[in-house]
Amino acid sequence: MLAAYFDDSGTHPDSPVVAFGGLLGTEEQWNVFETAWRALLENPLPGKPPLKQFHLAPLRAKRGEFEGYSLAERDRLNYLFRHVILDIGLVTFAVAVDRIAWNKLVVGPMVEEVAPPEALCFVKCVDSVLATCRFRKPGQPLVIVFDQGVRRQLEIWGRFYKSQREKYPEIAGIGFATVSEVLPLQGADLIATESYQFAQEWLKSPDGPKANPHFQDFIMRDLSGGVILTTEHIEEIIERWKSVSART
């Protein structure tokens, strides 16, 4: 059994970017991941109390459970958690949509008829995972889990994939779960948050975006894939919508 976990970042209406990030691994890899991740939660750093959850945004902002951490301690903890992912060799995925461009271009009747950027991220994530599984582990069943917070928006898209068993026979299930309770989703949170921040930098300066040093290892490795959907991609979606609308 293969399993992929995805979290989201920037899904609030005034966000400049919508991003999804996730991880794909085998059952054996996920067993190793959960053991290592839980050990870090229970003993994050010498002298620090156990953590209920790893959440990258509060760590960077020194909020919540990380309020008493110095900059050096937060940097060290970020390093330890990201290396759980890297050392196990999980495949990472990221999809981001320029929401500012989306809001400028998707207007009028399209707002109600074109799927929102969160759905576009969802579809890109599922399709990317399927393509990777078919290349690396053909024929193996796959379960995909997303953050519970986007269930209301995206559950219909999960049902769409599951309804087409002949086209997507690998998909054993698409579900939603709570990040605080499912450790792999906390790993996905790390990728989603980094991707959200990197996408904003990329949109400002496509020729020389500044990646957080902790994200650099993910960008440079062969087991990582990602896409940022910009004005050009959104215009293509609008043209397809116009073409379909003209025929109906």
Side-chain angles (χ1 to χ4, degrees), residues 155-176:
E155 191 170 27
I156 187 173
W157 293 92
R159 291 200 297 267
F160 166 78
Y161 278 97
K162 288 187 288 185
S163 69
Q164 300 191 58
R165 296 188 181 278
E166 291 185 3
K167 189 174 181 180
Y168 308 110
E170 304 93 339
I171 297 181
I174 296 179
F176 300 84

Side-chain angles (χ1 to χ4, degrees), residues 33 36-37 40 79-90:
F33 172 92
W37 201 269
L40 276 177
Y79 172 89
L80 292 173
F81 274 102
R82 73 179 168 90
H83 264 277
V84 172
I85 298 169
L86 293 168
D87 294 347
I88 293 172
L90 296 168

Side-chain angles (χ1 to χ4, degrees), residues 102 114 120 233-242:
W102 184 278
V114 176
L120 182 57
H233 302 97
I234 297 167
E235 288 174 341
E236 290 177 3
I237 292 170
I238 291 171
E239 288 304 314
R240 288 199 296 270
W241 173 81
K242 290 180 177 178

